[in-house]
Amino acid sequence: MTDADQVRDQIRNDAVEAALGKLDLDTKARLLAGQDMWSLPAVPAIGLQSLVMSDGPIGVRGVRWTADDPSIALPSPTALAAAWDPELARRAGRLLAQEARRKGVHVLLAPTVNLHRSPLGGRHFECYSEDPLLTGAVGSGYVTGVQEGGVGTTVKHFVGNDAETDRFTVDSVIAPRPLRELYLAPFEAIVDNAHPWGIMTAYNEVNGTTMTEHRYLVNEVLRGEWGFDGCNVSDWMAARSTAGDIEGGMDVAMPGPTTVYGPALAEAVRAGEVPESAVDEAVRNVLRLAARVGLLEGAPAVVETAPAPIDGQALARELAARGFVLVRNQGVLPLDATAGGTVALLGAAARDARVLGGGSATVFPERVVSPLDGLTAALPEGALTYAVGADPSDEPTPADKGFELRAVCRDASGAVLGTGSLPSGQVQWIGDDLPAGVTYETMASIEVTGTFLPRESGEHAFGTRGLGAFALSVGGRSLWSGVQEMGNEADPFEAFFGAPCERARVTLTEGEPVEVSLTYQVPDMTALPLRAIMFSLLHLGPQRDADELIAEAVAAARAADTAVVVVATTERVESEGFDRTDLRLPGRQDDLVRAVAAVNPNTVVVVNAGSPVELPWREDVAAVLLTWFPGQEGGAALADVLLGDTEPGGRLPTTWPARFADAPVTEVVPTEGRLEYREGLFIGYRAYEKHAVVPAFPFGHGLGYTDWAYESLEATADTVRVRVTNTGTRPGREVVQVYLAPAAPASDGARSAAVERPASWLAGFAAVAAGPGESVEAVIALPARAFEIWDEEARGWRRIGGTYEVRASHSHGDVRLTATLDVE
């Protein structure tokens, strides 16, 4: 902090204390409870404005589920981590702060820094990596960028929310050492390096205590040891106990208006169950957050002048390309667009791109550039052909392409109360997110209505998703009416949406518009603590014979110089609310790749998945490019990379197994409510190395369009210097990774020798860029923590001296240079 910063900080603290002193107990308790889904109440008497929060790891949705106010959709957090570039994450954060300010949002509910413990984790696309150091570095860059834009962050989900199964109730049983060295480590690094203004506590328990009530981890570790001075917000609906939560260090219970705080908290204080001093401390944290974002009178905002504007589309395109990981290339990439070659683009995922992971991270971009769009724009006319080949989904999904829809809300008499636009056939209104003029008390029905312009002639399926009574009609003809009941979904988030159900089929003609209507009867929600409406109009286009589709793709591939096959997961495979059961690509996509590769030796496979999938054909194709969920500009970035205008910049942030059976850690399903992290320190590449399992692609792996020679390595206990030379013919970027491997214990004898440690671990990294023939030095700082372990007996960090091998590597599986380092 500069002297001026310290003065302003003191002014903010004085304003907070003055405001706190003016509040009575009831107002203080009310201030700690959400007034609705996304905001805290204003208190005009002390000059406090309402503080607004929004979901947004990859974009800022705002407080409404609508496309009326579009959001920039950046690549998934896993893609951001794949760039191995904290400064790039910082730029992404600044863009999101710009988006937040435009939408009137003060706090972003991000980033998610839980680890990729098992490849089955259903929400890994929203997290960064399997490695705590990489996660902490990227997360620190992200938080720094957002807060430099004057917007708060809430680092989540603190802690142990590394899977989705039974996430509301699971007890994550984690021994003290892996808890400290792995799962708490990214949070600690971000608190230390980026000073976040918020933390979100998770749904789950850790070692028998619910995280919203975890006094030890929140008050003693997060606040006491690490010095966190921000606001601790519950995950939505996670708060369960008035006294337990406030004494456990949870400041804000979200969402409202019905929570365990508010009147219930004031009553608990009056009954002597909760000390008012605990309420005061929580209010102090809330007021400090409000002051930092400029919502408290008399307190200067941390950032009073917004940074220079950022071109969101351009940055989204750059981020996507920087996160693409080229894991295999047998000389086919980059394509030579000037040579007049032809390209066959294949796969339904190339036409209807999945650009984000879904769930609570969903935003609605103004435009989406699919791979088909991107390559069509980049290649000369006549150079590109397209065939569906294989569709990853064979069940109806929310109405999207070709649909123009709106929601019409009516009262019991049929009179229109209000209308709202829909970005797709999915209605998701939570709390007060309702069209103007509409209330839960007066609304009796919602009609999703509009037109559909078919892209194909044939039999189209329509369906519903959601719980309740529906009536479906197409072209003015009633097709189905009935009630959808609760299924066997375990997660409340998944259960509320319901399972997709096909209801009727109708023959339609390409290019001939037809009216569609789905009417939903709104149930009585008077008794619910949180009122919400979630249902969908679903559609599935004509389903042709799978073998015929593959045959068409094979014919197109045979006639082209290069075949580009796009394969992908779907929201039914990979999303919030559930974990995966295997790592297979859905549908006939593997069959498509094999068939195409058999007829065209220049087959490039683009894999659009948020986390690892099995690639059984990987040795049979010329190139494999991982694009994660690449955001709204993904198709444009794909064209840039395939044609060589941009180098694929990514390195794997998580290990990709050859087969699911090879993954050392897979358990995500609790046993009698407990998910035991029996593997201890050994997740990700640490586990593969321990069990001598060779993955398909190791952690840190990624190819560019040039080659690098590692020429020298100098190492001290705090700095590693690596000199590399670009030996190729194109400019490029290399991520130099430094791993430590204990070679011999220190002279303190048996105590150090007895410490179990991974065979190696990531200790630092740095990216360098150079032109052909140029040499450059990468300087990598080694943190003291790289040589430390958590001593469970002493309950503190202990430095382990001895001899270490320092490895300068292209990836965890590709060591280029080594040096010996003696550490005291």
Side-chain angles (χ1 to χ4, degrees):
M1 268 192 181
T2 65
D3 290 343
D5 288 335
Q6 290 179 335
V7 169
R8 289 162 61 83
D9 198 46
Q10 187 60 53
I11 294 172
R12 274 192 297 274
N13 288 335
D14 291 345
V16 165
E17 293 303 320
L20 177 61
K22 297 176 183 177
L23 297 176
D24 59 31
L25 174 60
D26 291 304
T27 304
K28 287 187 288 191
R30 180 166 57 89
L31 188 55
L32 303 182
Q35 67 176 350
D36 53 29
M37 185 66 181
W38 302 112
S39 69
L40 297 182
V43 184
I46 60 169
L48 177 67
Q49 301 174 52
S50 176
L51 184 144
V52 178
M53 297 172 258
S54 172
D55 280 322
I58 56 97
V60 184
R61 188 172 62 248
V63 299
R64 297 192 60 213
W65 190 271
T66 176
D68 290 344
D69 184 13
S71 307
I72 293 291
L74 298 180
S76 67
T78 311
L80 187 61
W84 288 60
D85 189 342
E87 183 58 35
L88 190 65
R90 183 177 181 176
R91 291 172 56 204
R94 282 196 171 194
L95 171 62
L96 294 178
Q98 174 180 293
E99 285 280 279
R101 293 173 78 113
R102 178 176 67 82
K103 287 174 173 270
V105 168
H106 309 111
V107 175
L108 203 56
L109 302 174
T112 304
V113 299
N114 302 108
L115 297 184
H116 295 183
R117 171 179 168 266
S118 162
L120 295 180
R123 203 175 178 182
H124 281 345
F125 58 84
E126 197 177 311
C127 311
Y128 289 130
S129 169
E130 68 187 27
D131 183 78
L133 185 139
L134 177 60
T135 297
V138 175
S140 294
Y142 179 102
V143 167
T144 299
V146 173
Q147 294 183 172
E148 284 175 341
V151 174
T153 56
T154 48
V155 188
K156 62 184 187 182
H157 305 88
F158 188 76
V159 59
N161 181 193
D162 307 297
E164 293 293 278
T165 304
D166 295 346
R167 60 179 173 156
F168 287 82
T169 58
V170 63
D171 181 10
S172 299
V173 182
I174 314 172
R177 194 174 158 208
L179 181 61
R180 290 282 187 158
E181 294 184 25
L182 295 180
Y183 302 101
L184 286 172
F187 292 94
E188 182 182 10
I190 293 169
V191 169
D192 187 46
N193 297 322
H195 310 292
W197 300 344
I199 291 281
M200 181 188 291
T201 42
Y203 294 120
N204 54 280
E205 298 178 0
V206 170
N207 299 330
T209 303
T210 300
M211 276 310 306
T212 54
E213 304 171 32
H214 215 302
R215 186 182 312 184
Y216 169 66
L217 288 178
V218 173
N219 287 341
E220 296 185 34
V221 176
L222 174 63
R223 294 196 186 280
E225 292 181 27
W226 302 350
F228 172 69
D229 68 350
C231 182
N232 176 14
V233 181
S234 76
D235 203 343
W236 266 229
M237 305 296 291
R240 300 176 177 94
S241 164
T242 299
D245 287 339
I246 196 70
E247 292 177 359
M250 194 189 77
D251 299 321
V252 173
M254 292 296 292
T258 303
T259 79
V260 299
Y261 285 174
L265 180 57
E267 180 58 33
V269 172
R270 293 188 176 101
E273 298 168 1
V274 171
E276 189 167 357
S277 59
V279 176
D280 287 345
E281 188 58 33
V283 172
R284 184 175 286 113
N285 293 330
V286 171
L287 292 175
R288 185 182 298 115
L289 173 59
R292 284 168 165 166
V293 298
L295 297 178
L296 181 63
E297 188 175 294
V302 173
V303 178
E304 295 185 302
T305 302
I310 298 172
D311 184 331
Q313 288 187 0
L315 182 56
R317 186 170 181 166
E318 179 186 352
L319 286 169
R322 288 284 301 277
F324 289 173
V325 181
L326 184 61
V327 293
R328 177 177 171 84
N329 185 19
Q330 299 299 103
V332 67
L333 293 180
L335 304 177
D336 187 352
T338 64
T342 56
V343 175
L345 181 62
L346 311 168
R351 180 185 65 184
D352 300 326
R354 185 181 184 192
V355 301
L356 46 82
S360 60
T362 298
V363 297
F364 305 104
E366 186 174 25
R367 72 172 201 165
V368 169
V369 182
S370 69
L372 180 57
D373 296 331
L375 285 170
T376 298
L379 290 171
E381 186 174 353
L384 182 70
T385 58
Y386 172 73
V388 171
D391 195 324
S393 177
D394 59 358
E395 62 182 14
T397 57
D400 186 8
K401 299 293 190 298
F403 287 86
E404 292 188 7
L405 301 170
R406 66 188 186 280
V408 180
C409 302
R410 296 182 173 89
D411 64 17
S413 72
V416 174
L417 298 171
T419 63
S421 64
L422 294 178
S424 71
Q426 182 169 312
V427 175
Q428 182 166 309
W429 298 337
I430 305 176
D432 295 332
D433 180 12
L434 295 173
V438 178
T439 66
Y440 289 102
E441 290 76 14
T442 57
M443 180 171 46
S445 68
I446 303 167
E447 183 187 13
V448 174
T449 181
T451 60
F452 171 48
L453 188 67
R455 295 186 296 184
E456 302 166 279
S457 296
E459 192 175 51
H460 290 251
F462 291 85
T464 62
R465 187 180 185 190
L467 306 179
F470 296 93
L472 172 67
S473 67
V474 176
R477 183 164 61 94
S478 176
L479 297 180
W480 177 82
S481 63
V483 176
Q484 185 164 337
E485 304 285 356
M486 176 83 73
N488 59 359
E489 298 86 1
D491 188 276
F493 186 90
E494 185 184 9
F496 202 39
F497 275 110
C501 295
E502 181 181 318
R503 300 302 185 187
R505 297 192 176 196
V506 59
T507 300
L508 302 175
T509 304
E510 177 184 352
E512 292 187 7
V514 62
E515 297 294 318
V516 296
S517 170
L518 177 67
T519 301
Y520 172 74
Q521 300 301 318
V522 178
D524 181 6
M525 288 178 274
T526 307
L528 297 179
L530 176 64
R531 293 181 291 186
I533 294 174
M534 297 184 187
F535 71 93
S536 298
L537 168 65
L538 306 180
H539 169 260
L540 180 66
Q543 296 297 286
R544 294 177 51 204
D545 180 79
D547 290 332
E548 288 183 9
L549 290 176
I550 291 176
E552 285 184 0
V554 167
R558 185 181 284 113
D561 295 305
T562 304
V564 177
V565 186
V566 182
V567 297
T569 60
T570 69
E571 286 202 22
R572 293 284 286 170
V573 171
E574 196 179 5
S575 190
E576 180 178 350
F578 58 90
D579 293 309
R580 295 190 286 173
T581 57
D582 59 54
L583 302 183
R584 293 191 296 270
L585 286 168
R588 296 282 302 278
Q589 295 181 103
D590 286 333
D591 293 339
L592 171 65
V593 173
R594 290 189 183 97
V596 169
V599 301
N600 192 319
N602 296 323
T603 294
V604 177
V605 183
V606 177
V607 182
N608 188 27
S611 49
V613 292
E614 291 179 350
L615 309 176
W617 31 258
R618 63 190 180 280
E619 301 292 339
D620 302 324
V621 299
V624 179
L625 180 70
L626 311 181
T627 62
W628 316 106
F629 299 135
Q632 67 175 61
E633 304 299 316
L638 179 63
D640 291 340
V641 166
L642 293 182
L643 299 177
D645 296 328
T646 302
E647 183 181 46
R651 304 294 185 266
L652 283 180
T654 196
T655 307
W656 278 48
R659 304 173 305 153
F660 170 56
D662 293 339
V665 180
T666 59
E667 188 178 24
V668 292
V669 178
T671 300
E672 297 182 349
R674 292 162 56 90
L675 182 60
E676 299 198 29
Y677 289 39
R678 295 186 181 90
E679 68 284 348
L681 298 171
F682 298 95
I683 66 170
Y685 63 87
R686 305 164 187 235
Y688 283 87
E689 191 167 25
K690 177 181 180 179
H691 296 288
V693 175
V694 178
F697 305 112
F699 176 79
H701 174 63
L703 307 172
Y705 287 155
T706 190
D707 296 309
W708 296 88
Y710 281 56
E711 302 193 338
S712 66
L713 165 63
E714 298 176 6
T716 68
D718 55 19
T719 306
V720 174
R721 296 177 180 274
V722 182
R723 190 162 189 83
V724 296
T725 298
N726 181 345
T727 59
T729 60
R730 297 170 59 98
R733 174 179 176 271
E734 174 73 340
V735 178
V736 179
Q737 303 160 39
V738 172
Y739 297 86
L740 293 180
S747 57
D748 61 355
R751 189 164 185 237
S752 290
V755 172
E756 183 180 40
R757 288 190 287 176
S760 64
W761 57 88
L762 181 69
F765 63 92
V768 293
E774 293 180 351
S775 298
V776 63
E777 185 176 69
V779 180
I780 297 112
L782 292 184
R785 185 63 55 78
F787 301 97
E788 295 175 342
I789 66 154
W790 180 257
D791 189 321
E792 295 186 356
E793 291 184 9
R795 299 186 61 165
W797 292 99
R798 177 161 67 92
R799 188 174 179 88
I800 303 298
T803 301
Y804 290 82
E805 183 178 75
V806 180
R807 300 171 177 173
S809 305
H810 176 74
S811 73
H812 183 260
D814 185 358
V815 179
R816 300 292 179 90
L817 294 173
T818 63
T820 298
L821 178 65
D822 291 320
V823 174
E824 295 183 355

